[in-house]
Amino acid sequence: MRKLKTISCVILATTLAGCAATPRTYDQDQSRALNLARAGGIYDQDLRDSPDGTASYRRSLVGRALDITRLATSLDAPLRHLSGVQTLAFNATDIMSTPDKPSARPSLIGWMPKSVASDENQAYEKYVEAVDTAIEAVAGDMSLAASKLNDVKVPEIDGRPLVLWSIESEYYGCDAGECIIAYNIRQPYEWKTPAFVHGGELESYNIPANHPEKYSRFIFRQSGDTADFPMDEFYRAISEELPPWMVMYFPPNTVFQEGSAISYPVIYEQGNQLMFKDPDA
């Protein structure tokens, strides 16, 4: 028995090493959403395809980190060190939460072509620039007043700061300090890009979702008891403005669509909401 266990461990280690050396190939038996998720480091088997995409998570998602309604009501504690008389209904603990499995947390995934940046540090700056540019473009299209909060003391993830934007819109119920975008980019590293990633090159600077704490994320939060902001529309628009080699993953109950939480996991790619739907169903 011990010998068999040792052999299994060796096989597993060899498999993981092989994954590190070569890009993932497309599995025709899986949805595009699941192919992207697996390639981006969302490896755990709680996430899967289902016949219609609405039963694509193996276990019930409960708890503070995955209940958007309860999260929204937790944003009453302002982040300190804001300048002047600004106040912001934002709880860093919410955004910094790290559920135990990649499929249980919102993640920003990317394969920046190596030709875009000269090294990993420049790749980080290019990632930030890409996200900020997307926010500014979508804010303009949706008539949102968006302000990047540069004067806020924020936590760091993998040595890189959390980035905050304040969103104001009377139409969507976002008064001053009530709506926030929080995102971070983990330190990119050299990797291989799957051929099915749009706009990619074989060599890339990757930001995957597999690390327990050092993963990138993009999250919109609205304080109060309402869900007036069109979060799904916003995420679609952001993904359309991002480079094609970047995608966003969200677990069940973390995105609002027409006032209700989406009960299944989704990936946003190039303006589309991809479901984890069995391609043979």
Side-chain angles (χ1 to χ4, degrees), residues 4-17:
L4 287 174
K5 187 178 292 185
T6 302
I7 291 174
S8 298
C9 291
V10 171
I11 292 173
L12 178 59
T14 303
T15 302
L16 292 175

Side-chain angles (χ1 to χ4, degrees), residues 266-278:
V266 294
I267 274 185
Y268 291 93
E269 181 194 33
Q270 294 189 289
N272 298 309
Q273 184 203 89
L274 306 183
M275 296 178 64
F276 293 83
K277 182 179 179 180
D278 188 339

Side-chain angles (χ1 to χ4, degrees), residues 15-121:
T15 302
L16 292 175
C19 292
T22 58
R24 180 183 174 88
T25 57
Y26 195 89
D27 187 341
Q28 297 293 339
D29 294 328
Q30 297 177 348
S31 66
R32 178 167 181 81
L34 191 58
N35 272 281
L36 287 168
R38 296 290 188 244
I42 303 176
Y43 54 81
D44 61 275
Q45 297 305 305
D46 284 341
L47 181 67
R48 58 183 178 176
D49 284 332
S50 63
D52 62 359
T54 62
S56 299
Y57 206 90
R58 190 177 303 274
R59 59 181 185 173
S60 176
L61 292 179
V62 295
R64 187 180 185 84
L66 295 176
D67 187 334
I68 190 69
T69 303
R70 290 165 62 188
L71 281 176
T73 61
S74 74
L75 302 183
D76 299 326
L79 190 67
R80 297 180 182 179
H81 307 294
L82 291 175
S83 63
V85 295
Q86 279 185 307
T87 59
L88 182 63
F90 171 73
N91 188 331
T93 304
D94 163 24
I95 304 299
M96 297 291 288
S97 65
T98 55
D100 58 345
K101 295 185 178 181
S103 64
R105 57 202 187 210
S107 296
L108 183 63
I109 303 167
W111 296 267
M112 178 181 289
K114 206 169 180 183
S115 61
V116 173
S118 58
D119 56 35
E120 293 172 349
N121 288 328

Side-chain angles (χ1 to χ4, degrees), residues 131-149:
V131 177
D132 284 349
T133 299
I135 293 172
E136 290 174 339
V138 173
D141 291 343
M142 295 181 67
S143 299
L144 308 173
S147 303
K148 190 173 183 178
L149 303 178

